[in-house]
Amino acid sequence: MKNVTIRDIANELGISIATVSRVLNDSGYASKEVKEQVFSMAEKLRYQPNAVARSLKNHRTNTIGIIIPDISNPYFMTISKGIEDSVREYGYHLIFMSGNENPVKEKKMLQVLIEKRVDALVLATSGKNEDVIRNIKESGVPIVLIDRKLREDSLGLDLVVEDNIKGAYDLTNYLLERGHHRIGVINGSLEVSTGFERYEGFRKAIHEKGLEANPELIFNGNFTKEDGINAVDYFLNLQNKPSAILSFNNTMAFGAIIQLTKNGYSVPHDMVVASFGEVEAAQILKPSSIITIKQSPYEMGLRAGEILLEHLLDNAKELGKTIFDPHLSISE
Amino acid sequence: MKNVTIRDIANELGISIATVSRVLNDSGYASKEVKEQVFSMAEKLRYQPNAVARSLKNHRTNTIGIIIPDISNPYFMTISKGIEDSVREYGYHLIFMSGNENPVKEKKMLQVLIEKRVDALVLATSGKNEDVIRNIKESGVPIVLIDRKLREDSLGLDLVVEDNIKGAYDLTNYLLERGHHRIGVINGSLEVSTGFERYEGFRKAIHEKGLEANPELIFNGNFTKEDGINAVDYFLNLQNKPSAILSFNNTMAFGAIIQLTKNGYSVPHDMVVASFGEVEAAQILKPSSIITIKQSPYEMGLRAGEILLEHLLDNAKELGKTIFDPHLSISE
């Protein structure tokens, strides 16, 4: 008799294996209705949790390597939580290395994790490592790119990303519509897709209003808190200061708010701040203090985990791109 | 002719190899004077950076495993930065796994990293794994405990910790002297040394004032943000609310401030908050909004890295305990 797996339950119900896994592991994030469906299907198919353990025999090391550019950024840690919740029932553990927004370091990290024989990789790239990534893929180790694409889309890799152009476009439009025409922009690295696409979204929005990007108001950073601090120092020293600051990730926005506070600026009263990505710390300011594009890191992580499982358990070929839609969050 | 290493430079000058490493790598944290001494000694000894690379041949994998209870806590990431700055010149890379304040998970993580053949381990333990840790030590893999001791001190392991009793004692006294006699305490896990020692420091301080701990005002958490949130919900529902909240780590304090803000409480006007450990987010509140015990995570990480290098390069036996002194930070 064939062993029944949670995959069979998922297929019968037409829902994802991650959802089934969450219900059976009681790790939350499922509606009452779905829970009931899962439990009754498990009973109907005579599902035995041990079948999963048996299916693990073929795994080599049960570890998945995660390389993220900033290991202390809550955004990337929420992605990781999603991955972990997807793969936990299958006995996989996550190993983290930090790329530090440094392509040279990231290349070394990729080599180390391959030497450590991880079964699969999830990478939020710091850029420039197309060759190494292609070699890994060709060697048969599944690799999912998360949050950030490669410059060359041709690699046919699995991607889980967000629509950064749309998100930045919406965020910029919101500021423009409220009369902000001097917007101080804090860019992330233009070497990585999230950085250049968000700047692209900004430019698209201002061009539609017949405006041009003002080089004086563009600060190019690298996604770190220090960049946000330095950007504010720069903007506050301009003769003609911006009326709003637009940061293209959460940690730079956090740095910006720290430095505005230090300089006696109250947000949003003295300076409006808009952030691509939620700033956890802003919860201790008054509600609606900053304007935010909400991202979906947990759901992105779940999806990346599902893709890995398809590769590891079913030898699936690449599954293509999943694009999440970020949305503007204002609670006035 | 013998290869000159940075160890030779350190020995000649009577300073630590970590300091020499930082100077030669230009990664900051050294005085001008020390820098000049290092550079002139390097020239005198005809130091060639490549000698270091040659000394690496004997390393097995060049990786150091780090297990910390909360990978997104800035405190532990600053410790990790210190470790990395110590060992970088020796070609070591850090691999992280998250213990999630869960001894069962931590045990598995320890096994996985040993299977991955890391050369050494740094562990901020979630508790209860004395046996596994003893086995690792006996198998010859250097292991340094950081931030948290084991219950049994007899293991003779290397420790880099803080004087938690003194820190919590000082913090409590500061509140008592300002007239706070109803202090709501948010404990971390009493299964780990930082948790029970800090509570011990609190009890020592109130006993000296002839007071007793009031069970109604003690909330036992597990060092997470959610614990801080739940503790505030609990305290605000008491008929006789506390006048100050004392949290025994930074993330619980952050959670507490979030939940106080959500309930319309302004810190410190409506509720005084004291935290063992700096709350990064508090930088966006007004200065001196919270009372803090400052820790030394970067220096602790440097020291742990130095101890590892002594083991890995010199086969040193255990080097004993390093205790850092936390200090009260008030800027009124």
Side-chain angles (χ1 to χ4, degrees):
Chain A
M1 191 189 137
K2 181 180 169 295
N3 284 325
V4 175
T5 67
I6 67 165
R7 172 171 303 276
D8 298 316
I9 300 172
N11 286 345
E12 285 291 324
L13 294 171
I15 62 180
S16 75
I17 47 180
T19 304
V20 177
S21 166
R22 285 199 302 285
V23 172
L24 294 176
N25 286 302
D26 195 23
S27 68
Y29 298 98
S31 69
K32 235 183 190 173
E33 203 184 0
V34 166
K35 280 184 185 173
E36 276 165 19
Q37 287 178 340
V38 169
F39 284 124
S40 61
M41 185 57 72
E43 211 180 311
K44 189 179 154 198
L45 297 178
R46 297 187 193 174
Y47 163 74
Q48 304 254 358
N50 282 347
V52 174
R54 267 175 258 136
S55 85
L56 289 178
K57 279 184 200 154
N58 299 325
H59 296 164
R60 286 176 302 174
T61 69
N62 292 352
T63 49
I64 292 171
I66 314 278
I67 300 178
I68 46 185
D70 179 358
I71 212 165
S72 61
N73 183 339
Y75 172 74
F76 289 111
M77 293 326 294
T78 308
I79 285 179
S80 303
K81 176 97 178 61
I83 298 170
E84 190 161 37
D85 284 350
S86 265
V87 303
R88 190 188 298 116
E89 198 203 352
Y90 292 85
Y92 285 102
H93 304 290
L94 308 189
I95 291 185
F96 296 89
M97 296 193 87
S98 177
N100 280 22
E101 302 289 0
N102 176 346
V104 177
K105 185 174 178 198
E106 174 180 295
K107 185 178 174 180
K108 188 67 204 166
M109 303 296 99
L110 284 163
Q111 288 163 343
V112 168
L113 286 175
I114 292 300
E115 280 165 20
K116 295 281 178 213
R117 300 184 162 278
V118 292
D119 292 335
L121 278 164
V122 179
L123 172 66
T125 184
S126 301
K128 291 186 179 166
N129 285 315
E130 279 80 358
D131 288 349
V132 191
I133 295 165
R134 186 184 292 120
N135 286 343
I136 289 171
K137 182 183 149 68
E138 282 169 6
S139 76
V141 178
I143 181 164
V144 176
L145 298 177
I146 197 151
D147 184 57
R148 300 166 171 199
K149 297 179 209 165
L150 298 180
R151 283 275 184 176
E152 314 168 28
D153 235 16
S154 58
L155 280 176
L157 290 160
D158 295 315
L159 285 178
V160 179
V161 292
E162 288 176 303
D163 189 340
N164 291 295
I165 294 180
K166 180 179 179 300
Y169 175 86
D170 290 348
L171 196 53
T172 307
N173 262 340
Y174 183 87
L175 293 175
L176 291 170
E177 281 162 15
R178 262 137 205 88
H180 295 287
H181 283 182
R182 280 190 71 77
I183 301 171
V185 171
I186 313 178
N187 269 323
S189 166
L190 299 176
E191 293 291 332
V192 305
S193 62
T194 45
F196 68 74
E197 287 179 354
R198 290 172 195 174
Y199 185 55
E200 203 48 45
F202 164 77
R203 295 212 311 169
K204 191 177 157 207
I206 62 167
H207 287 171
E208 284 185 9
K209 294 277 188 293
L211 302 166
E212 280 296 329
N214 177 352
E216 188 187 59
L217 292 174
I218 310 292
F219 184 96
N220 288 325
N222 194 18
F223 294 118
T224 73
K225 192 176 72 180
E226 285 65 37
D227 294 322
I229 291 171
N230 294 335
V232 163
D233 283 342
Y234 169 76
F235 290 136
L236 295 186
N237 273 318
L238 289 177
Q239 210 149 33
N240 194 356
K241 297 179 188 44
S243 64
I245 289 177
L246 171 54
S247 164
F248 282 142
N249 91 335
N250 58 346
T251 46
M252 297 191 298
F254 180 39
I257 300 168
I258 287 175
Q259 200 62 1
L260 286 166
T261 308
K262 217 178 216 172
N263 282 279
Y265 281 66
S266 155
V267 176
H269 188 258
D270 306 322
M271 181 70 80
V272 166
V273 174
S275 168
F276 199 112
E278 289 178 88
V279 182
E280 213 189 0
Q283 292 173 67
I284 68 176
L285 296 175
K286 288 202 186 67
S288 326
S289 291
I290 70 168
I291 301 150
T292 309
I293 284 288
K294 273 201 182 174
Q295 302 179 271
S296 309
Y298 183 75
E299 292 73 17
M300 289 169 70
L302 281 182
R303 177 68 189 136
E306 284 177 357
I307 292 173
L308 288 180
L309 290 174
E310 299 274 342
H311 285 296
L312 291 167
L313 306 178
D314 286 352
N315 282 314
K317 297 288 165 205
E318 65 270 2
L319 305 165
K321 219 182 268 192
T322 309
I323 301 177
F324 283 81
D325 210 7
H327 54 278
L328 202 58
S329 165
I330 322 282
S331 43
E332 288 171 314
Chain B
M1 191 189 137
K2 182 181 170 293
N3 285 324
V4 175
T5 68
I6 66 165
R7 171 171 303 275
D8 299 317
I9 301 172
N11 287 344
E12 286 290 325
L13 293 172
I15 62 179
S16 76
I17 48 181
T19 304
V20 177
S21 166
R22 284 198 303 282
V23 172
L24 294 175
N25 287 303
D26 196 23
S27 68
Y29 299 97
S31 70
K32 236 185 189 170
E33 203 184 1
V34 167
K35 280 184 186 174
E36 277 164 20
Q37 288 177 340
V38 169
F39 284 124
S40 61
M41 185 57 72
E43 212 179 309
K44 190 178 153 201
L45 297 178
R46 297 189 193 174
Y47 164 74
Q48 302 255 358
N50 282 348
V52 174
R54 267 175 259 135
S55 85
L56 288 178
K57 277 182 199 153
N58 299 326
H59 295 164
R60 285 176 302 175
T61 69
N62 291 352
T63 48
I64 292 171
I66 315 278
I67 301 179
I68 45 184
D70 179 358
I71 211 165
S72 61
N73 184 339
Y75 172 74
F76 290 110
M77 294 325 296
T78 308
I79 285 180
S80 304
K81 177 98 178 59
I83 298 171
E84 190 161 38
D85 284 352
S86 266
V87 303
R88 190 187 301 115
E89 199 203 350
Y90 292 85
Y92 285 101
H93 304 290
L94 307 189
I95 292 186
F96 296 90
M97 297 192 89
S98 178
N100 281 24
E101 304 288 1
N102 176 345
V104 178
K105 188 177 176 196
E106 175 181 292
K107 185 177 175 182
K108 188 68 204 166
M109 303 295 98
L110 284 163
Q111 289 162 342
V112 168
L113 286 174
I114 292 299
E115 281 165 20
K116 294 283 179 212
R117 301 185 160 276
V118 292
D119 292 336
L121 278 165
V122 179
L123 171 66
T125 183
S126 301
K128 290 187 181 167
N129 286 315
E130 279 81 359
D131 288 349
V132 191
I133 294 165
R134 185 184 293 123
N135 286 343
I136 290 172
K137 181 182 150 66
E138 282 170 5
S139 77
V141 178
I143 181 164
V144 176
L145 297 179
I146 198 153
D147 183 57
R148 299 167 172 199
K149 297 179 209 162
L150 297 181
R151 282 275 184 173
E152 315 168 29
D153 234 16
S154 56
L155 282 176
L157 290 159
D158 294 316
L159 285 178
V160 180
V161 292
E162 288 176 303
D163 189 340
N164 290 295
I165 294 181
K166 180 178 178 300
Y169 175 85
D170 290 349
L171 196 52
T172 307
N173 263 339
Y174 183 87
L175 292 176
L176 291 171
E177 281 161 15
R178 262 137 207 88
H180 295 287
H181 284 181
R182 279 189 73 76
I183 300 172
V185 172
I186 313 178
N187 269 324
S189 165
L190 299 176
E191 293 291 332
V192 306
S193 63
T194 45
F196 68 74
E197 288 178 355
R198 290 171 195 173
Y199 184 56
E200 204 48 44
F202 163 77
R203 294 212 311 170
K204 192 179 157 207
I206 61 166
H207 287 172
E208 283 186 9
K209 291 277 187 295
L211 301 167
E212 281 297 327
N214 177 352
E216 188 187 59
L217 291 174
I218 310 292
F219 184 95
N220 289 323
N222 194 17
F223 294 119
T224 73
K225 191 176 72 181
E226 284 66 35
D227 294 321
I229 291 171
N230 294 336
V232 164
D233 283 342
Y234 168 75
F235 290 135
L236 296 186
N237 272 318
L238 291 177
Q239 211 148 30
N240 195 356
K241 297 180 188 43
S243 64
I245 289 176
L246 172 54
S247 163
F248 282 141
N249 91 335
N250 58 348
T251 45
M252 296 191 298
F254 180 40
I257 301 168
I258 287 175
Q259 200 63 0
L260 287 167
T261 308
K262 218 178 217 173
N263 282 279
Y265 281 66
S266 158
V267 177
H269 189 260
D270 305 321
M271 181 70 81
V272 167
V273 175
S275 168
F276 199 112
E278 290 178 89
V279 182
E280 211 189 1
Q283 293 173 68
I284 67 177
L285 295 175
K286 288 200 186 67
S288 329
S289 292
I290 70 169
I291 302 149
T292 309
I293 284 287
K294 272 202 183 175
Q295 302 178 272
S296 310
Y298 182 75
E299 291 72 18
M300 289 169 69
L302 281 182
R303 176 69 191 135
E306 284 177 358
I307 292 173
L308 288 180
L309 290 174
E310 299 275 342
H311 285 296
L312 292 167
L313 306 178
D314 286 350
N315 282 318
K317 298 289 166 203
E318 65 270 3
L319 304 165
K321 221 182 264 191
T322 308
I323 301 178
F324 283 80
D325 210 7
H327 54 279
L328 202 59
S329 164
I330 322 282
S331 43
E332 286 172 313

